Amino acid sequence: MKEFKILDKVKWLLDYAESYMFSSFPKVHLALKIKLEENLYSLIENCIRANLNKGNIRSKYQKEILTNISLIDYYVGAILDKGIIKKKRFTSFINCLNEVRKMTYGWINNEEKEQSV
């Protein structure tokens, strides 16, 4: 697979979460950690699936990427509200997540332009 910027960013998000967020999770909020982790891995899977497919199938997986991003955004916000992570780590994570969101919207718009031509 050639260089794929979105996938690189998503891998960074997973590494960041494993290094700075998952290590300090209290057992009381284990369900939140599991949901976040599942959605991060699902985000990676959907990025790869969208990159390898074409047409309507690619579009479906691109929408799944956006769904995963929204869920991750919610879970990380809940983690911040519970005081599990610091504001600075939250900001770093969300900034990268927003970059992935913008890149995905750009990818979708580019696909739509190519289909209309």
Side-chain angles (χ1 to χ4, degrees), residues 25-85:
F25 248 83
K27 290 189 186 331
V28 172
H29 302 297
L30 194 58
L32 193 56
K33 174 188 173 189
I34 291 168
K35 294 301 271 180
L36 176 60
E37 195 170 22
E38 284 174 357
N39 273 284
L40 282 166
Y41 281 109
S42 186
L43 182 59
I44 288 174
E45 291 170 9
N46 288 324
C47 282
I48 292 170
R49 286 185 176 116
N51 193 39
L52 295 176
N53 287 296
K54 301 224 182 288
N56 289 339
I57 297 172
R58 176 177 279 179
S59 177
K60 172 192 171 203
Y61 287 120
Q62 288 170 331
K63 289 176 185 160
E64 286 294 319
I65 290 169
L66 294 173
T67 303
N68 289 128
I69 290 170
S70 295
L71 288 168
I72 291 167
D73 193 4
Y74 171 77
Y75 293 135
V76 173
I79 290 168
L80 177 69
D81 291 343
K82 294 182 186 305
I84 298 169
I85 59 170

Side-chain angles (χ1 to χ4, degrees), residues 73-103:
D73 193 4
Y74 171 77
Y75 293 135
V76 173
I79 290 168
L80 177 69
D81 291 343
K82 294 182 186 305
I84 298 169
I85 59 170
K86 297 175 184 173
K87 180 79 170 169
K88 185 176 177 183
R89 293 207 169 135
F90 168 81
T91 304
S92 296
F93 190 89
I94 292 298
N95 285 342
C96 186
L97 190 64
N98 285 334
E99 284 181 42
V100 172
R101 179 182 283 129
K102 288 176 187 174
M103 291 168 80

